[in-house]
Amino acid sequence: MSGYSPTDNSPSAPPPAFDFNLDETLKADFNPIVCSVSSQPRQPSLPPPEVTQERNPILSPSPSPPITPLEVRPSTFASPPKKTAALPTGPLQQSKLNFPTIDRKKWLELEKEKSRRSQEEKEAAKERARQHILWQQEERKKYERERKRDYRKRKVEEEISSGARFPNGKKRKTAPVRLQYPASSTLCNHSMPDATRPYREIRAHDHSKTKHTCGRKSKRTARSARRMRWLNRLVFGHIDTVARQVGYPFSPKEIVRRLKHQFPDLFATLQPQRISDWRDPNFPDRLVWRPFVTDALAKGDVPQKNPSRKYILDDYPDVISAIRKNLKAMRKTGIPLDLNTIRGLMIALITLDAPEVFERETAKGRLFLCSPSFVRRFIRQRLRWSFRRATKAAQTTPKDAPELTRRAFLRMACTVRDEDIPAALIVNADQTQVILAQGTKASYAETNSKQVDVVGQTEKRAFTLMLSVSQSGDALPFQAIYTGKDPQRSLPKPTAFAYNELVSLGHRFEVSKTSTYWATQETMRYYVIHIAAPYFRRKINELKLPGNQRCILYIDVWSVHRSAEFRGWLRTMYPWILLQFCPGGCTSLFQPCDANINRLAKEAIRRAALEDIIKETTAFLEAGISPESIVLDKTIGTLRNRTPGWLLAAWKAVNQGDHVLKVSLGALVERVAIIVFTDLHTLQSWELCATGDFNLSHQSLTSRSARQAILDLRSADPVFYAEITSGSPESVEAHAVYQEDEEMSETGDDGSSSSSDSEDDFFESEDEIWPKEAEDVDGDAIMVS
């Protein structure tokens, strides 16, 4: 500033010139510009633009005359003026960015690479999280180990100070506390846990004095009790006394400490948690024991004559009396009483007298079903009966069973590979015995009875049931073989329940024409003609395969199956059906029907037979027949006419694709007759027939590892490789048996000479019985009579 003084008051003095703009100064918060007052003379400059003054309510509370804009000189710190771009005047247009263009294929590759990197990052994050969790667990284990070591160290120090251990840390040996009885007492020299259970030895003593023991002898030896019975009056008296001496707040830890100090041997195993469990938490200010503690102390050590567990039928004494009376009356008549018969009678009487029992729940929350275990317990406790039966040696598995089953697998895998056989054209068939009535050599009778009379003790009444299933989960119709020669007299009547329904489904009822119910040449040929071959033809047509498509029939080495007569007949009549044999003694391991399906069918048959017993007994009781006069009809005709109903139940159980190929070991429950599995389990029954890393499922037979195992035979076992690749499905082991059978077939199994010298002579003489097969021009087989 120049030419101005604060004391100059002359009116003619010009106002001072400041080198700053007032508007810019007021807006310093928004556009900070350093302004300075210049002391240099002003330079001529262009007139400043017109500035519109805005009213500032703080600096100018009232309107004032416009202020002449001052000259603004550029400051050395001021930013240069900004250039404003001219706004477009025409219509707006979208600008294009110069990004490189790529084709779709390259873009997809980039996206895949981006996705791969993202996935790798996610996997890496998961791995880091997993490693962190493992690290935390390891640190936790280290902490727990250190904590346990410190606890053990403190415990050893306490035991050393209390004298339980030597100063070197070795534990002192202490003899268990024994109660002192008079010399004449038989309860002397017993450990403390046994002493708290005085009636334990009394029961053992009474049991040892029991005469006329029956059944299997117990191999378990009596042993001393391991746990103390703290609610014994003598023992709990010390606990109650010490707890009241400790007083409020009745610390369980302090109570146990004092008890162990006063009686170290008696309360050596007592824990503070026991005191907390016994004390009633509803009374925190005083010592009150829970009701179950006071009840146990009031009850004392009185022995119980009857079981403490209460059964559902205990509320129905009349039903129990009727069951006992009826069973005893039936036993006097000599009727064999097996578990199914007794259970059927009990269910019939309960349904007649107290049907509401079946709506009650057991202690486990299940509906009462009068299960076999309940019946056994009822017989043992209420009737004092036992069941005796003869034992027999179990089937022995050959020592080289793994090698035999592996060779059988490789033989079938090679055939499936060479002939391109689908799963639907591989069938396993097996015969099983079905008992018409429970074995009559055993029966429930009074315990200790020396004479048990049974009606029909030497009878063996049964029939053979042939079941067959495919790898695709299809169940083929049954073939039932009965003893006898005349179909009119030896087969179930056409009027029997479910007979016509089974026949319409394709099931066969055959007679063995011998004195047994075993399969014969005739029944096996009937099976192939009426069951196996029609099934194969139907599947070939469904899959649209050529007429000469090969199929596999997988059976065991029963003498009829491996006989030269049957194999020759099959090669002549059905050359497209290839036989595969399960190794002898390995049927329970390597045959699906024998391993699982037979048991499923027999369980359904057993339940159907039980329903017949219940219906018959109920009908007698409703007719007013006295229980002593009830005799169940077990004649051969009646039982045989019931078999179609049994077979229908078995067919419904087996004819499920999910049942055919897997049956779990625990598949049978009391509330459901047969468990229905999902389709996920369809192929797993054949998988249960395993040998090493392979099994009989179609997936395993056609796997790469199976084919590699076949190729490895070229160097490992060239003889066996040449055999299975020569086109013959029969094994080397079977050939030795077949040769023996061929020698026996010349004279026959019974020593008589054969009626024909060749297969051709046999077929010519049996034209009226066995249909032949001819090949048409398309290769399809045609059945002609």
Side-chain angles (χ1 to χ4, degrees):
M1 251 177 333
S2 64
Y4 175 75
S5 174
T7 60
D8 191 359
N9 298 328
S10 59
S12 61
F18 296 92
D19 294 338
F20 67 94
N21 193 322
L22 179 60
D23 290 288
E24 297 294 336
T25 304
L26 294 177
K27 299 178 182 179
D29 293 338
F30 303 97
N31 188 12
I33 301 176
V34 180
C35 301
S36 61
V37 180
S38 174
S39 60
Q40 301 297 331
R42 292 179 295 178
Q43 301 293 334
S45 59
L46 297 176
E50 184 177 357
V51 179
T52 303
Q53 297 292 331
E54 295 181 1
R55 182 167 176 262
N56 192 322
I58 299 176
L59 299 178
S60 302
S62 60
S64 60
I67 301 175
T68 303
L70 301 177
E71 179 182 0
V72 178
R73 299 181 61 184
S75 175
T76 57
F77 300 96
S79 59
K82 298 181 180 179
K83 296 181 179 180
T84 57
L87 298 176
T89 58
L92 298 178
Q93 295 181 358
Q94 182 177 1
S95 60
K96 297 182 179 180
L97 302 179
N98 296 328
F99 289 117
T101 59
I102 58 175
D103 56 354
R104 178 174 179 79
K105 182 177 181 181
K106 188 174 181 180
W107 178 79
L108 290 176
E109 293 178 356
L110 293 176
E111 290 296 325
K112 289 181 181 179
E113 181 66 20
K114 185 191 299 183
S115 176
R116 185 186 62 79
R117 289 197 300 269
S118 176
Q119 187 65 23
E120 290 178 354
E121 292 176 359
K122 291 181 181 179
E123 294 295 336
K126 290 182 181 179
E127 181 64 21
R128 289 194 299 270
R130 190 181 69 84
Q131 294 294 339
H132 182 69
I133 293 174
L134 294 177
W135 176 81
Q136 287 182 337
Q137 294 176 352
E138 189 64 26
E139 292 296 324
R140 181 68 181 178
K141 290 179 181 179
K142 292 180 181 179
Y143 169 75
E144 293 295 341
R145 282 196 297 265
E146 294 296 333
R147 182 170 171 269
K148 193 67 175 180
R149 289 184 187 133
D150 295 342
Y151 168 74
R152 290 173 179 171
K153 185 177 179 181
R154 292 194 307 269
K155 187 175 180 180
V156 170
E157 293 175 354
E158 292 177 359
E159 292 179 352
I160 291 175
S161 60
S162 63
R165 292 179 181 267
F166 292 103
N168 59 358
K170 188 176 181 180
K171 198 169 184 179
R172 298 177 184 270
K173 294 183 179 181
T174 57
V177 177
R178 301 181 183 278
L179 298 181
Q180 300 297 329
Y181 293 97
S184 60
S185 175
T186 60
L187 300 177
C188 57
N189 297 328
H190 282 271
S191 63
M192 185 58 66
D194 286 329
T196 57
R197 295 173 171 84
Y199 284 95
R200 181 184 178 91
E201 184 171 346
I202 296 177
R203 289 195 299 268
H205 178 75
D206 295 341
H207 183 71
S208 63
K209 296 296 183 180
T210 303
K211 299 181 180 179
H212 308 294
T213 57
C214 63
R216 292 179 296 179
K217 294 184 179 180
S218 177
K219 296 182 180 180
R220 297 178 56 186
T221 57
R223 62 181 182 180
S224 301
R226 299 174 58 185
R227 294 179 176 85
M228 291 284 294
R229 185 174 180 268
W230 302 114
L231 298 184
N232 183 286
R233 290 183 178 181
L234 299 177
V235 178
F236 197 82
H238 296 294
I239 298 175
D240 183 73
T241 301
V242 172
R244 299 188 184 281
Q245 291 176 357
V246 170
Y248 184 84
F250 307 102
S251 172
K253 189 174 181 180
E254 180 62 20
I255 295 173
V256 172
R257 189 189 68 80
R258 292 195 184 185
L259 287 171
K260 290 184 177 181
H261 179 72
Q262 297 180 13
F263 312 96
D265 296 324
L266 180 61
F267 297 100
T269 58
L270 182 62
Q271 300 296 328
Q273 290 81 358
R274 285 286 188 177
I275 306 297
S276 301
D277 295 340
W278 294 335
R279 188 185 171 194
D280 195 339
N282 297 325
F283 302 92
D285 55 341
R286 53 197 178 96
L287 182 63
V288 178
W289 305 113
R290 289 179 181 268
F292 77 88
V293 177
T294 57
D295 294 343
L297 295 174
K299 194 173 185 179
D301 296 326
V302 178
Q304 299 178 359
K305 296 182 179 179
N306 297 324
S308 59
R309 184 176 178 181
K310 185 178 181 180
Y311 299 105
I312 289 181
L313 293 182
D314 290 345
D315 298 334
Y316 302 91
D318 296 338
V319 176
I320 296 177
S321 177
I323 294 174
R324 294 181 60 183
K325 183 178 180 181
N326 294 340
L327 290 177
K328 290 181 178 180
M330 295 174 67
R331 178 83 281 280
K332 290 180 180 180
T333 60
I335 298 176
L337 298 177
D338 54 15
L339 186 64
N340 291 337
T341 304
I342 296 177
R343 186 186 177 196
L345 178 65
M346 292 179 61
I347 293 176
L349 291 175
I350 295 173
T351 305
L352 186 63
D353 297 337
E356 67 276 6
V357 176
F358 293 102
E359 299 178 0
R360 296 181 56 178
E361 292 186 354
T362 62
K364 296 182 179 180
R366 302 175 182 174
L367 292 178
F368 175 72
L369 298 172
C370 194
S371 62
S373 59
F374 176 83
V375 175
R376 293 190 187 97
R377 188 167 57 249
F378 181 89
I379 295 171
R380 183 176 62 253
Q381 295 180 357
R382 302 292 182 175
L383 296 171
R384 301 289 297 174
W385 286 6
S386 59
F387 191 75
R388 305 175 185 179
R389 74 177 75 191
T391 59
K392 63 179 181 179
Q395 179 183 2
T396 57
T397 303
K399 296 181 180 180
D400 57 344
E403 179 62 22
L404 293 176
T405 54
R406 180 179 177 83
R407 292 167 71 91
F409 169 80
L410 295 176
R411 183 178 296 106
M412 183 179 293
C414 184
T415 305
V416 172
R417 181 200 65 177
D418 297 342
E419 302 295 343
D420 193 17
I421 302 177
L425 300 182
I426 302 177
V427 171
N428 171 232
D430 183 44
Q431 291 123 352
T432 184
Q433 182 189 44
V434 179
I435 304 295
L436 291 175
Q438 182 72 21
T440 54
K441 291 186 178 180
S443 173
Y444 277 99
E446 293 81 358
T447 302
N448 302 331
S449 58
K450 297 182 180 181
Q451 186 68 28
V452 180
D453 298 329
V454 176
V455 175
Q457 185 175 358
T458 59
E459 288 184 350
K460 293 182 179 180
R461 299 179 296 178
F463 68 96
T464 297
L465 179 63
M466 189 163 186
L467 303 95
S468 46
V469 294
S470 69
Q471 276 191 351
S472 61
D474 298 324
L476 279 67
F478 296 157
Q479 182 190 37
I481 305 172
Y482 296 83
T483 304
K485 298 181 180 180
D486 186 1
Q488 300 296 331
R489 301 178 58 185
S490 302
L491 295 181
K493 302 297 182 183
T495 57
F497 171 71
Y499 180 88
N500 294 327
E501 182 177 357
L502 290 175
V503 172
S504 63
L505 293 174
H507 299 269
R508 299 285 301 179
F509 294 89
E510 313 285 358
V511 290
S512 63
K513 297 185 179 180
T514 62
S515 59
T516 66
Y517 49 85
W518 298 345
T520 61
Q521 292 284 341
E522 185 175 346
T523 58
M524 278 302 301
R525 296 180 187 184
Y526 273 134
Y527 168 78
V528 174
I529 294 171
H530 299 289
I531 297 178
Y535 167 79
F536 285 140
R537 282 302 179 196
R538 185 174 69 254
K539 286 299 178 181
I540 289 174
N541 294 333
E542 290 178 0
L543 300 176
K544 299 181 180 180
L545 298 174
N548 58 352
Q549 172 66 45
R550 297 297 183 95
C551 308
I552 291 179
L553 180 60
Y554 184 59
I555 53 180
D556 55 22
V557 290
W558 166 244
S559 59
V560 175
H561 300 166
R562 55 185 170 83
S563 64
E565 183 179 350
F566 176 70
R567 291 184 292 111
W569 175 85
L570 189 65
R571 280 196 299 266
T572 304
M573 303 299 294
Y574 299 92
W576 45 274
I577 298 180
L578 305 179
L579 284 179
Q580 292 278 335
F581 292 98
C582 178
C586 302
T587 54
S588 60
L589 304 175
F590 216 60
Q591 184 169 229
C593 282
D594 199 21
N596 298 327
I597 307 303
N598 292 349
R599 188 182 64 171
L600 182 64
K602 286 187 176 182
E603 177 64 18
I605 291 174
R606 185 186 67 82
R607 293 181 179 274
L610 177 61
E611 292 179 1
D612 291 338
I613 295 175
I614 296 173
K615 292 178 181 178
E616 183 179 3
T617 306
T618 306
F620 280 130
L621 295 176
E622 291 177 350
I625 300 176
S626 61
E628 295 84 356
S629 303
I630 293 178
V631 177
L632 298 179
D633 188 0
K634 289 192 175 184
T635 59
I636 185 64
T638 301
L639 296 177
R640 188 168 52 211
N641 289 333
R642 291 177 180 175
T643 55
W646 303 350
L647 296 180
L648 180 61
W651 172 251
K652 292 180 180 179
V654 174
N655 190 25
Q656 303 284 343
D658 33 358
H659 285 173
V660 168
L661 299 181
K662 180 179 180 181
V663 180
S664 176
L665 294 179
L668 304 177
V669 294
E670 291 301 328
R671 189 170 298 183
V672 183
I674 300 296
I675 293 181
V676 178
F677 296 95
T678 60
D679 291 338
L680 180 63
H681 299 147
T682 300
L683 299 178
Q684 296 184 1
S685 177
W686 290 73
E687 292 179 3
L688 294 178
C689 301
T691 172
D693 297 334
F694 303 110
N695 55 70
L696 286 182
S697 65
H698 198 263
Q699 182 179 2
S700 180
L701 290 170
T702 57
S703 63
R704 181 181 297 272
S705 56
R707 297 184 179 182
Q708 184 61 39
I710 296 173
L711 295 178
D712 293 342
L713 291 175
R714 292 180 297 182
S715 57
D717 194 348
V719 176
F720 182 60
Y721 178 77
E723 175 198 337
I724 63 176
T725 56
S726 62
S728 174
E730 300 171 358
S731 65
V732 174
E733 296 84 358
H735 273 303
V737 180
Y738 297 155
Q739 293 173 3
E740 180 182 354
D741 288 342
E742 291 173 358
E743 295 175 358
M744 294 178 60
S745 63
E746 295 180 359
T747 57
D749 296 340
D750 56 353
S752 60
S753 61
S754 178
S755 59
S756 60
D757 298 331
S758 64
E759 299 290 343
D760 297 335
D761 295 339
F762 175 79
F763 295 133
E764 291 176 1
S765 62
E766 299 291 341
D767 285 342
E768 297 180 358
I769 299 178
W770 305 111
K772 288 189 176 181
E773 217 175 33
E775 295 290 330
D776 61 3
V777 291
D778 296 331
D780 295 333
I782 302 175
M783 300 297 298
V784 295
S785 299

